[in-house]
Amino acid sequence: MKKTSLKVAVVLLSGALLCSSCIGSFGLFNKYEQWQCNMTSSKIVNGIVGLILQPVVGTICLTVDALVLNTIEFWTGENPVTASTQVVKGQDGRYYTVKTSKKGYEIIAPTGEVTLFVFNAKDNSWSMVQNGITKEILHFNADGTIQANLQNGETITVTNDEAGLNQVRDAVLNDQNLWAKR
């Protein structure tokens, strides 16, 4: 009877630990699932290949997620697999790498120059970090307005809507204070 009680307690404790809210995002498995569902234009072919691959590849992805990647995500706050990376063609015709994370964005120019756009939740603001220099770009005010910092050092307070965006755009273009030029 005591052995049964111990086994039940171990199972319940294990279940409580596994079902807690810190299990992670399972980014690797989700990326595999997305790839598997969209590998061809035929749902039938995707389903057949999925039936063949799922027992092996799905099990490996779930195991790596549960034991390694979700642990990293728990301790660092970011899952290395869920960070999104895209290559974007700029207005100058060159290609830029944009990496998305929970902290913000990292943009790598074709020259290798790195620019970070970081959100500071404590100050409720976005900053740009370039060559080790941090410049606050905008700050969300408590009253719902936005304080935008222009390139020439001036600030402008606008509403958080399309009209406010147009005011900032006009202020930037009228003063020729562009954040990025061709």
Side-chain angles (χ1 to χ4, degrees):
M1 186 71 174
K2 289 185 179 182
K3 288 184 179 181
T4 305
S5 298
L6 181 62
K7 289 179 183 177
V8 170
V10 168
V11 169
L12 289 175
L13 182 60
S14 299
L17 291 173
L18 290 173
C19 295
S20 67
S21 64
C22 58
I23 59 172
S25 62
F26 287 90
L28 181 62
F29 181 78
N30 290 334
K31 284 193 181 242
Y32 162 71
E33 177 191 22
Q34 184 180 20
W35 170 81
Q36 188 267 319
C37 290
N38 298 313
M39 74 177 110
T40 68
S41 59
S42 171
K43 289 182 180 181
I44 295 171
V45 173
N46 291 348
I48 292 169
V49 173
L51 286 173
I52 295 168
L53 292 178
Q54 187 67 33
V56 176
V57 178
T59 304
I60 292 170
C61 289
L62 279 173
T63 304
V64 170
D65 262 335
L67 298 177
V68 179
L69 298 175
N70 289 344
T71 303
I72 293 170
E73 182 178 5
F74 176 77
W75 290 106
T76 65
E78 288 188 29
N79 188 319
V81 175
T82 59
S84 174
T85 302
Q86 293 181 340
V87 177
V88 179
K89 185 176 182 179
Q91 291 179 349
D92 58 0
R94 300 185 308 167
Y95 290 93
Y96 296 83
T97 304
V98 179
K99 294 181 182 179
T100 306
S101 68
K102 289 183 180 179
K103 296 177 184 176
Y105 303 94
E106 176 181 297
I107 300 172
I108 303 171
T111 60
E113 182 180 34
V114 177
T115 303
L116 301 173
F117 291 96
V118 182
F119 181 72
N120 184 342
K122 186 177 179 181
D123 295 337
N124 208 15
S125 65
W126 279 94
S127 298
M128 179 178 74
V129 181
Q130 194 172 36
N131 298 326
I133 300 170
T134 302
K135 296 179 184 176
E136 186 178 276
I137 298 173
L138 58 93
H139 177 85
F140 296 97
N141 298 323
D143 63 357
T145 60
I146 297 173
Q147 178 181 332
N149 299 317
L150 303 177
Q151 191 74 4
N152 64 1
E154 294 180 14
T155 61
I156 183 173
T157 302
V158 297
T159 56
N160 189 5
D161 57 10
E162 191 173 344
L165 176 64
N166 288 332
Q167 285 178 326
V168 173
R169 185 178 294 134
D170 290 343
V172 169
L173 293 176
N174 286 340
D175 292 338
Q176 296 298 312
N177 296 318
L178 302 176
W179 285 101
K181 293 183 180 179
R182 280 187 177 195

